[in-house]
Amino acid sequence: MNFPVYKKYTNKLSFFKVTSPDSFEEIKITGNYYSIITIQAKILPERNFIEDLLKNEQGNWVEISAKEYDNKLNEVKTTKKLLL
């Protein structure tokens, strides 16, 4: 698999950039706020989440382009407040 891989939830409130089989970044939108979460998988549930995200057997995510991910990141940085 070639990394990074970009996905989003169908509700368009979380966007993912999977950078390796054990790490990803998530843009999470909550109302007028956003957060950027970086996960380096160290425990099994985190590894399982990344595997599920990549395989997408349940159809929970939609594949997106790097451009869509970057556009969303720029959009939230200019229109929403960072949740600390």
Side-chain angles (χ1 to χ4, degrees):
M1 179 167 287
N2 295 324
F3 292 96
V5 174
Y6 299 90
K7 305 254 180 139
K8 68 179 177 183
Y9 277 128
T10 55
N11 66 9
K12 301 176 185 172
L13 296 177
S14 288
F15 293 74
F16 300 89
K17 177 182 180 181
V18 183
T19 53
S20 75
D22 61 355
S23 63
F24 71 92
E25 177 181 280
E26 177 184 5
I27 303 167
K28 187 174 191 91
I29 302 165
T30 308
N32 291 323
Y33 296 91
Y34 76 97
S35 57
I36 299 174
I37 303 159
T38 303
I39 299 292
Q40 180 66 42
K42 295 180 183 164
I43 59 175
L44 186 58
E46 293 169 340
R47 289 188 193 100
N48 287 346
F49 181 80
I50 295 171
E51 184 176 341
D52 288 347
L53 184 60
L54 293 172
K55 289 183 178 178
N56 197 24
E57 292 174 346
Q58 302 298 317
N60 295 325
W61 298 276
V62 176
E63 194 154 338
I64 61 172
S65 67
K67 183 177 181 178
E68 183 176 349
Y69 183 89
D70 292 338
N71 287 345
K72 183 54 71 173
L73 182 58
N74 290 331
E75 177 190 324
V76 299
K77 284 183 173 181
T78 58
T79 63
K80 302 201 180 289
K81 297 175 188 173
L82 180 61
L83 185 61
L84 301 175

